Amino acid sequence: MQRVMICGGPGSGKSWLAREVGRRTGLPVFHMDHIHWKPGWVERTPEEKLALVRSVQAQDRWVFEGGHSTTYSERLARADSFVWLDMSLALRFWRVFFRTLRSWGRSRPDLPEGCPENFGPGKRELFHYMWRTRATGRAKLAAIFANPPRHLAIWHLRSRADVARFLESLP
């Protein structure tokens, strides 16, 4: 386990799990939200995102969490481990709501500085995105899980208990 790709919908626990896997394994952790956003909630261009994703995935060791499905195939080619966090939509909505309250006015560790949590238009768009992609986003990850590259170790975690068992299996 040297290059771990962690995916799942918003609020599934990707960032927390990535930090925990990094802590337990000593692997460096990279968050897609650092690639997607600049300070002030300014979205990077597709070209900037692609260049940053490629710079991370070219490294020898990483835990790389987050979406940006246009780069899944490249990340999968480099990853040796794939973790799919497949939590219920209700739980994910609750987690996003709660983390916004908990981090109100501050940037979370998985976000760039200058991206404070709030319930502004961006949060409404996130909730809309979560609803709109509930089936399509899951279908993309299910397709990876159903037919993974041969070199890839895979985990499909559907509950907190699954996550706990996965973490217990790490060195």
Side-chain angles (χ1 to χ4, degrees):
M1 184 178 274
Q2 295 296 305
R3 289 177 301 282
V4 183
M5 181 175 165
I6 300 176
C7 292
S12 61
K14 299 178 303 293
S15 297
W16 178 85
L17 182 61
R19 287 190 301 273
E20 191 61 23
V21 170
R23 187 183 71 75
R24 290 173 184 238
T25 63
L27 295 170
V29 176
F30 299 92
H31 302 281
M32 188 60 74
D33 279 343
H34 279 277
I35 288 171
H36 188 81
W37 300 109
K38 295 180 192 179
W41 294 105
V42 175
E43 186 174 352
R44 293 183 195 275
T45 67
E47 297 79 18
E48 288 175 303
K49 290 182 217 178
L50 183 58
L52 290 169
V53 166
R54 286 180 172 162
S55 71
V56 170
Q57 70 194 22
Q59 297 178 34
D60 290 333
R61 304 173 70 239
W62 41 260
V63 177
F64 199 175
E65 67 87 6
H68 200 53
S69 61
T70 59
T71 63
Y72 280 175
S73 61
E74 288 185 33
R75 276 188 279 161
L76 286 167
R78 288 281 300 142
D80 58 29
S81 304
F82 173 73
V83 180
W84 174 20
L85 288 168
D86 188 17
M87 304 299 168
S88 75
L89 185 62
L91 176 62
R92 295 188 304 114
F93 269 116
W94 168 249
R95 285 179 171 176
V96 170
F97 178 80
F98 184 73
R99 78 181 184 201
T100 302
L101 289 177
R102 187 179 59 233
S103 300
W104 186 265
R106 298 184 323 270
S107 296
R108 298 186 325 265
D110 50 306
L111 287 169
E113 282 298 319
C115 293
E117 282 286 6
N118 61 60
F119 284 110
K123 191 63 66 182
R124 287 191 297 275
E125 174 54 32
L126 177 61
F127 283 121
H128 180 73
Y129 171 82
M130 290 170 68
W131 179 257
R132 193 176 69 244
T133 62
R134 67 191 182 280
T136 57
R138 188 178 186 284
K140 287 177 185 178
L141 297 172
I144 293 169
F145 192 79
N147 191 25
R150 290 182 185 198
H151 71 276
L152 199 63
I154 58 172
W155 290 269
H156 185 185
L157 309 179
R158 299 178 187 171
S159 68
R160 293 175 184 157
D162 287 350
V163 171
R165 282 190 293 275
F166 169 72
L167 289 171
E168 288 170 10
S169 74
L170 297 180

